[in-house]
Amino acid sequence: MKVEEAPNPLAEGLHDYRIADPAVMIIFGATGDLSGRRLLPALYNLAKQRSLPAGFAVVGAAMNDMPDDAFRKHASDRIHEFSRTQPIDDRVLDAFLSSLSYVKVDFAQLADFKALAQRLQQLDDANHIPGNRIFYCATPPPTYQTIALQLQASGLNKGPGFHRIVVEKPFGSDLQSARELTQTLQKVFAEDSVFRIDHYLGKETVQNILAFRFANSIFEPVWNTNLIDSVQITVAEEIGIEQRGAYYDKAGALRDIVQNHALQLVTLTAMEPPLAFEAGAVRDEKVKVLRSIRPLIGEDIEQSTVRGQYTSGWVLGEQVPAYREEKNVAPDSQTETFAALRLVVDNWRWAGVPFYIRAGKRMPKRVTEIRIQFKRPPHLTFGREAMKEVDPNAITLRIQPEEGISLKFGAKVPSAGLRIRSVTMDFQYVTSFLIEAPEAYERLLLDCMIGDPTLFTRADEVEAAWTLIDPIENAWGSDRPPLQTYAAGSWGPDAAAKLLQADAREWHRP
Amino acid sequence: MAPTVSAVEQEAQPIWHGEGVTVGDVLAALDQIRFKFGRAEAGDAEHIHPRNSVMTLIGIAPTEPLEEAAKRTTQTIGMQHAAQAIVIREEAPIHGRNLDAWITTDVRRPEMACAVECELITLHVHGKAADHLGALLDPLLVSGVPTYLWWLGTPPFGKRELSDALRVCDGLVVDSAQFVEPYHDFRRMAATLKVVHHRLGLSDLQWSRLRPWRESIAQFFTPVDRRGFLDGISEVGVDYAGEGRGNRIAASLVTGWIASALGWKLRRATAGTGGVVVAMYEHGGRYIEVDFRSVPQGDRVPGEVSAVRIAGASRGTTFRLSVAHDPPRSRGPRQSEREWERRGGETGRVLLTLIEIGDSDPLRHVQQLEPEDQAALLLELLSTGTHDAVFNRSLTAASALMDKF
């Protein structure tokens, strides 16, 4: 999508500075957790970076009745508590708070949306805003369709300026519900005005996967089946489900992590070079990867997937309860808290290279990484004995924590004999750029204001992902393969290790 | 925006010092320091961590106060970027033959990563060695990372001393706000652009200070429905701190930036008394009048831009944009050199933008200015690199304007 008709010549050369048109952002669920922890602090930090244009306004919308000042106080409190940058700058905060107002909106009441429309018109007039609107659904997913339809009924999706809607993952709970959501959203908004946020894509280190691959000439020639043996993607969390028992017990690890975060990492690792870092080109290549993944059906699912649930155990030195003892979880729950998959990307580049994914809760530590495992040298020049302590070459892209990249290779041990050992060459963001990276939401909110959807998920991406996941969910719902257990604080059930052992491989220990 | 940086809390003490030494002696000392650090930081089962450096920053300081400023700033930058810093004081009273040297290290231990050692090498040079800075610096540079030369005060534009140092550098950073003879030195700087090697980027901290102004002005014209205003600009006014003629570099750079971006041709310019300058640009058969005026403001650094006004009309709609510092601060005058440094601790400075379109009420917009200390500006500049085509063309246009005064 072309974002601007013609570039502003005065904006040239302002590195990292992207200027949005004045707009009103309407936050549905403005008094909720997402708004308070992420959105309002991110907007404050954008204001601090001078990235909010003159006239930009925020309208909070939620069920409870609240005067503007009370909403500003609420916002101020949340910003003080959760802002990435501290201490809070009073002048920036005051200016930002003055752009905030509040309207009570019961999503079931059309009259409330009409009252909202009046408030927006007032802001347009006062702030020189040409009708630009961003509707942010910081609400539970079941409300997305209701909100969209009410926006349509009240005429808020039309008029001068742009009209965009932002929804948070999960985008449906299966292919059918995802399609229904897409159909509703597309009835009300054009697809290029629907911004589906998976905040993972806003992380600097996730974006750096593309920089690493496509801004360097030395990696891409080896990034294929000729030299790569396998790819391992680990998305591990040490925490349990915290307060999300009711949601998680319905979702499970496959829907919560694999369908979105993990598959996004697969696409970024496996995609072909896009023509440019531009929304259409990048997302086209990602969708191609998803469509190239061989669907798991029938017996494949039992042979290539593992599902597990944690029992009580020890994590980070503390004893933690079993999943079934968590709040709002059924005592006989069959929901998986761990998922492992072996996927095959059926294209020329990746023929014969398995992609192993594992995602789980209550693992030994929080870590997300992609490990590119290379093949062994074709000939052991130094003999088997000298090479016995050498692992194959590997590149590890560490997403979190300790964001960075490692290259593992063999080096001669300084001694009289000839022995080779594996050593690691490390790049760590924090030691090269000691600057704190911006929050993913800051990046994504600004992208949305500017109208750049590159880091947002497109409808066909969502559907392609659910197309892969649905058959697995269905089989798992029939207890195929059976649910395994693992002790909290371990790297998952034994079956996960066996999944790789069957291929004469083993999981890398992050 | 410029990254926030914290000042060095406590000045680190040198861990090595040599009088009357050679560069070879400095290198030998560095080798030992690096080996000890690597060994000490590695665990029993680990290999020595590799050194981590993203650039070499060289500060050339002609006076002791500037040397101290350079050391403070480079150490502060080392807290943000793993950099090797070299500070050279020219014509210093030294004890040895040509060279006295000090090495200071600052070890950073990020929570989730291995330790980083930032080195500061201070060299006092005297005599002919100062004319051959390239030979002095080359052996000390970290291989494979960019090297930036930050010349404090007024660089000797056109002299061998500068060209020899530039031979080993990828970027030259100056601060035109510090130039002793603003009019002449600025034009010499513009002329340097034409003779430096193609790899070299030229940067000016004064230009970096203008960034928030450029952002605010660009922001006004960004909405597509206001883009047409660019062709309707009829007046530009720039106020700068000072009395009489003062330092017009920043005002000229703002004008040069707008004119070169919009393709304006300079037709004439006249300088009157009291700092007033009137320039006439032409574009597409229209004339645009640009006025400078110096405004005595004891609380500001001489030459600092204090307000920019742009007005005009397009398709029957009038517009007026005003960007100004707010509020005026009330403090007594001070030396500019120290003033820029002092800005490091200053928070709460804002730009106030007023937008008037047609008959509607003015829209007020407040934007924060980051502290404008040298370290923050330098860090921002070095993070994005010193090759800035917009600066180069703005410099050329500003120099052409100054030529007319």
Side-chain angles (χ1 to χ4, degrees):
Chain A
M1 190 190 101
K2 199 168 183 182
V3 175
E4 284 186 348
E5 292 300 315
N8 175 0
L10 295 179
E12 189 187 345
L14 290 168
H15 303 283
D16 296 334
Y17 191 76
R18 300 178 306 145
I19 303 163
D21 281 10
V24 189
M25 179 175 284
I26 302 95
I27 303 177
F28 295 110
T31 53
D33 206 43
L34 174 65
S35 170
R37 281 175 179 267
R38 301 288 186 187
L39 305 185
L40 292 168
L43 287 168
Y44 159 78
N45 280 305
L46 287 175
K48 196 162 183 243
Q49 294 155 30
R50 299 191 300 273
S51 294
L52 297 184
F56 179 83
V58 176
V59 175
M63 303 278 278
N64 34 339
D65 219 345
M66 180 185 281
D68 288 345
D69 282 347
F71 179 57
R72 289 180 185 132
K73 168 78 169 56
H74 165 84
S76 173
D77 291 346
R78 298 285 87 77
I79 289 165
H80 274 97
E81 188 174 358
F82 296 114
S83 169
R84 158 181 80 83
T85 59
Q86 298 285 351
I88 298 301
D89 188 301
D90 289 339
R91 291 196 68 171
V92 174
L93 181 62
D94 289 349
F96 174 64
L97 293 177
S98 70
S99 72
L100 265 55
S101 59
Y102 183 85
V103 175
K104 173 188 174 297
V105 176
D106 180 340
F107 305 145
Q109 300 297 321
L110 183 59
D112 286 358
F113 281 83
K114 289 188 172 168
L116 174 64
Q118 283 182 349
R119 173 68 62 89
L120 298 183
Q121 187 59 54
Q122 289 165 3
L123 286 168
D124 282 355
D125 296 341
N127 290 9
H128 299 302
I129 299 169
N132 297 332
R133 316 257 186 265
I134 298 165
F135 299 102
Y136 200 116
C137 297
T139 52
T143 62
Y144 297 166
Q145 296 186 61
T146 309
I147 290 172
L149 292 171
Q150 293 286 45
L151 290 171
Q152 185 181 40
S154 55
L156 277 168
N157 62 328
K158 289 202 168 67
F162 62 72
H163 300 74
R164 298 174 186 146
I165 189 164
V166 186
V167 292
E168 287 269 339
K169 78 158 190 84
F171 315 116
S173 55
D174 55 21
L175 180 59
Q176 187 186 339
S177 59
R179 278 187 177 151
E180 284 169 11
L181 175 62
T182 297
Q183 282 167 6
T184 304
L185 293 175
Q186 288 181 347
K187 261 188 222 165
V188 183
F189 297 94
E191 172 59 25
D192 64 6
S193 296
V194 178
F195 287 73
R196 297 174 188 83
I197 281 196
D198 179 346
H199 73 273
Y200 236 55
L201 289 176
K203 285 180 182 288
E204 293 275 332
T205 42
V206 172
Q207 294 165 51
N208 193 49
I209 297 170
L210 296 183
F212 178 76
R213 288 191 55 199
F214 304 132
N216 300 291
S217 59
I218 61 170
F219 302 116
E220 208 45 27
V222 302
W223 209 263
N224 55 52
T225 186
N226 294 338
L227 292 179
I228 292 178
D229 169 79
S230 60
V231 176
Q232 291 185 19
I233 294 175
T234 300
V235 185
E237 294 173 284
E238 84 286 9
I239 56 170
I241 53 171
E242 299 188 307
Q243 308 305 315
R244 300 166 67 219
Y247 159 75
Y248 196 89
D249 207 34
K250 286 183 188 150
L254 193 63
R255 284 193 182 99
D256 190 46
I257 299 291
V258 176
Q259 187 271 342
N260 38 73
H261 297 335
L263 285 181
Q264 288 289 349
L265 296 181
V266 172
T267 60
L268 296 172
T269 306
M271 69 192 275
E272 295 297 320
L275 279 176
F277 190 63
E278 181 268 330
V282 171
R283 298 197 297 182
D284 284 350
E285 296 303 336
K286 285 167 64 187
V287 171
K288 281 186 205 167
V289 173
L290 290 171
R291 290 184 179 152
S292 302
I293 296 174
R294 188 184 303 166
L296 295 177
I297 45 173
E299 286 186 357
D300 292 346
I301 295 173
E302 288 179 71
Q303 290 168 3
S304 297
T305 71
V306 173
R307 62 192 187 112
Q309 188 185 78
Y310 63 82
T311 58
S312 62
W314 290 80
V315 179
L316 302 180
E318 290 193 14
Q319 193 164 20
V320 297
Y323 174 70
R324 291 178 182 178
E325 294 164 18
E326 301 270 18
K327 196 178 166 192
N328 293 326
V329 170
D332 58 349
S333 172
Q334 292 293 301
T335 300
E336 80 284 357
T337 58
F338 173 93
L341 274 65
R342 174 178 46 219
L343 298 176
V344 174
V345 181
D346 272 334
N347 63 21
W348 194 301
R349 181 191 284 261
W350 295 109
V353 179
F355 280 66
Y356 301 103
I357 297 172
R358 63 177 163 175
K361 289 200 170 285
R362 288 293 189 212
M363 318 234 23
K365 60 182 177 182
R366 171 175 165 260
V367 61
T368 301
E369 67 172 36
I370 301 163
R371 186 174 174 86
I372 313 296
Q373 186 83 40
F374 288 86
K375 292 178 177 170
R376 288 189 177 276
H379 172 66
L380 296 179
T381 304
F382 301 104
R384 197 168 297 278
E385 184 61 23
M387 295 287 282
K388 69 181 183 185
E389 290 185 60
V390 181
D391 296 327
N393 295 131
I395 293 175
T396 305
L397 307 170
R398 294 190 304 275
I399 309 298
Q400 64 182 15
E402 299 181 39
E403 294 87 344
I405 294 163
S406 298
L407 170 63
K408 192 177 207 180
F409 59 95
K412 181 183 171 301
V413 177
S415 64
L418 186 57
R419 280 195 302 130
I420 316 287
R421 279 191 63 175
S422 288
V423 294
T424 303
M425 193 153 68
D426 268 334
F427 157 72
Q428 291 176 306
Y429 267 91
V430 74
T431 55
S432 288
F433 307 104
L434 305 176
I435 302 168
E436 196 180 348
E439 266 279 300
Y441 274 94
E442 291 168 32
R443 166 73 197 237
L444 294 172
L445 285 174
L446 190 56
D447 280 357
C448 179
M449 291 178 210
I450 289 168
D452 179 358
T454 309
L455 299 178
F456 294 81
T457 316
R458 206 167 57 186
D460 52 353
E461 269 183 276
V462 175
E463 290 193 11
W466 279 122
T467 303
L468 292 169
I469 297 298
D470 261 10
I472 303 171
E473 281 288 359
N474 292 338
W476 286 11
S478 308
D479 208 28
R480 288 183 300 118
L483 182 68
Q484 309 285 322
T485 57
Y486 63 99
S490 70
W491 285 105
D494 292 343
K498 287 177 185 159
L499 181 72
L500 269 72
Q501 282 163 9
D503 297 343
R505 297 185 177 96
E506 59 183 15
W507 290 104
H508 164 67
R509 182 173 55 80
Chain B
M1 68 181 287
T4 308
V5 292
S6 310
V8 175
E9 285 169 11
Q10 198 176 1
E11 199 168 316
Q13 295 303 309
I15 58 171
W16 182 85
H17 170 50
E19 292 179 0
V21 292
T22 65
V23 174
D25 297 330
V26 179
L27 278 170
L30 278 170
D31 278 348
Q32 282 203 359
I33 290 166
R34 288 168 186 169
F35 181 78
K36 276 184 194 166
F37 167 77
R39 196 62 269 170
E41 293 297 328
D44 289 341
E46 291 178 80
H47 56 81
I48 292 180
H49 296 306
R51 290 192 63 239
N52 204 334
S53 191
V54 295
M55 66 178 157
T56 298
L57 175 61
I58 303 160
I60 309 279
T63 65
E64 189 178 352
L66 289 177
E67 178 193 343
E68 292 307 313
K71 286 199 286 196
R72 277 194 302 276
T73 301
T74 51
Q75 282 186 300
T76 305
I77 286 175
M79 293 168 70
Q80 303 271 312
H81 264 49
Q84 175 188 258
I86 304 170
V87 170
I88 298 183
R89 164 92 184 280
E90 295 181 298
E91 300 306 324
I94 60 173
H95 301 95
R97 206 155 53 90
N98 285 324
L99 187 68
D100 288 354
W102 292 259
I103 299 173
T104 307
T105 60
D106 189 8
V107 179
R108 301 275 137 200
R109 292 188 173 81
E111 203 177 321
M112 304 285 279
C114 63
V116 182
E117 184 180 54
C118 300
E119 296 157 353
L120 168 62
I121 304 157
T122 307
L123 303 175
H124 282 185
V125 292
H126 190 77
K128 290 207 177 225
D131 292 337
H132 297 84
L133 289 174
L136 201 62
L137 290 167
D138 214 346
L140 295 172
L141 302 182
V142 177
S143 168
V145 295
T147 301
Y148 299 105
L149 180 67
W150 172 33
W151 204 293
L152 290 86
T154 307
F157 292 116
K159 302 257 174 72
R160 179 204 167 120
E161 186 186 354
L162 177 63
S163 57
D164 192 66
L166 292 181
R167 197 170 46 77
V168 297
C169 297
D170 301 296
L172 170 65
V173 181
V174 301
D175 186 355
S176 63
Q178 308 287 343
F179 287 174
V180 176
E181 299 176 293
Y183 175 76
H184 296 291
D185 292 331
F186 184 74
R187 293 170 69 225
R188 287 181 198 124
M189 177 169 79
T192 301
L193 255 191
K194 296 171 190 160
V195 296
V196 293
H197 62 79
H198 71 282
R199 280 187 299 107
L200 189 90
L202 175 61
S203 301
D204 183 359
L205 296 184
Q206 180 79 306
W207 174 248
S208 300
R209 287 184 196 100
L210 294 174
R211 181 186 166 101
W213 297 82
R214 292 166 57 211
E215 287 175 357
S216 291
I217 293 166
Q219 212 173 73
F220 173 75
F221 294 100
T222 288
V224 173
D225 60 331
R226 291 185 205 157
R227 202 68 56 76
F229 290 171
L230 287 170
D231 288 329
I233 296 173
S234 55
E235 298 167 37
V236 175
V238 184
D239 293 354
Y240 63 96
E243 292 187 42
R245 181 176 178 160
N247 184 334
R248 292 173 178 146
I249 292 176
S252 298
L253 278 171
V254 169
T255 307
W257 164 61
I258 298 174
S260 61
L262 300 182
W264 297 352
K265 304 283 178 230
L266 179 62
R267 293 303 178 210
R268 60 179 180 275
T270 52
T273 54
V276 174
V277 168
V278 179
M280 201 59 78
Y281 285 86
E282 188 257 328
H283 179 60
R286 291 179 307 107
Y287 281 87
I288 303 106
E289 186 178 312
V290 178
D291 299 297
F292 290 0
R293 64 181 183 198
S294 60
V295 181
Q297 290 167 320
D299 55 335
R300 296 193 195 286
V301 179
E304 184 182 2
V305 170
S306 58
V308 177
R309 296 169 300 279
I310 299 176
S314 174
R315 295 182 183 173
T317 304
T318 59
F319 64 90
R320 180 173 293 277
L321 168 71
S322 160
V323 185
H325 272 305
D326 180 66
R329 288 155 300 157
S330 52
R331 281 192 292 272
R334 55 173 51 77
Q335 290 296 311
S336 64
E337 191 174 282
R338 301 301 299 171
E339 171 67 6
W340 290 125
E341 274 208 79
R342 188 191 58 76
R343 291 278 173 85
E346 194 173 359
T347 58
R349 299 177 73 236
V350 295
L351 277 186
L352 173 64
T353 301
L354 287 174
I355 293 172
E356 294 173 71
I357 299 174
D359 298 328
S360 59
D361 292 336
L363 177 65
R364 195 170 177 275
H365 188 52
V366 174
Q367 291 183 298
Q368 190 200 33
L369 291 173
E370 303 88 24
E372 288 178 347
D373 62 304
Q374 285 175 328
L377 291 169
L378 201 52
L379 188 56
E380 184 200 1
L381 206 153
L382 300 177
S383 301
T384 53
T386 52
H387 290 86
D388 182 349
V390 177
F391 170 66
N392 290 350
R393 77 175 188 224
S394 303
L395 173 61
T396 303
S399 175
L401 176 61
M402 281 187 131
D403 283 345
K404 300 267 185 189
F405 295 166

